[in-house]
Amino acid sequence: VQLQASGGGLVQAGGSLRLSCAASGRTFSSYAMGWFRQAPGKEREFVAAISWSGGSTYYADSVKGRFTISRDNAKNTVYLQMNSLKPEDTAVYYCAADLGPPLGEYDYWGQGTLVTVSS
């Protein structure tokens, strides 16, 4: 599966953005999907994940209550709605896919989209 993330940009603190990740292939609905991020000088970290059906979602504590992950299997797309953004959310955001469990390791990665939150 190939992944293409989009939707990043510059936003003021308190604002919102929606990231999208479009996947190629006919088996998108078989994959768990995840969002990760990497801030400058820091390691990549988990943000959110969703099961293949969309029935289960998982979030890092730092984004819980502010971010929402969702998917549309008919459109081969997963989304990350980000509200109440903070400067510490500034990072390159990556989407990922895997046939295993949503909180396992991911085999397929997109190219990343930059989110910059100004104070």
Side-chain angles (χ1 to χ4, degrees):
V1 62
Q2 292 184 320
L3 306 172
Q4 180 76 37
S6 62
L10 174 64
V11 63
Q12 288 188 331
S16 298
L17 279 176
R18 189 177 80 155
L19 305 184
S20 299
C21 176
S24 64
R26 296 176 295 175
T27 59
F28 174 76
S29 60
S30 299
Y31 289 84
M33 300 296 296
W35 285 98
F36 295 77
R37 67 186 182 186
Q38 187 167 19
K42 295 188 177 181
E43 293 188 351
R44 187 169 60 195
E45 64 175 0
F46 168 77
V47 175
I50 189 167
S51 61
W52 64 270
S53 67
S56 298
T57 57
Y58 309 86
Y59 297 95
D61 288 343
S62 59
V63 307
K64 202 171 293 184
R66 299 188 297 122
F67 290 11
T68 302
I69 188 171
S70 61
R71 67 189 296 160
D72 185 338
N73 285 343
K75 295 183 178 180
N76 282 13
T77 302
V78 63
Y79 305 97
L80 185 68
Q81 177 67 44
M82 306 186 295
N83 298 329
S84 302
L85 283 161
K86 304 176 181 179
E88 52 263 44
D89 294 319
T90 294
V92 177
Y93 283 71
Y94 299 89
C95 60
D98 199 82
L99 289 171
L103 295 181
E105 296 206 1
Y106 282 77
D107 284 339
Y108 303 96
W109 293 84
Q111 86 292 355
T113 186
L114 176 62
V115 172
T116 304
V117 184
S118 63
S119 57

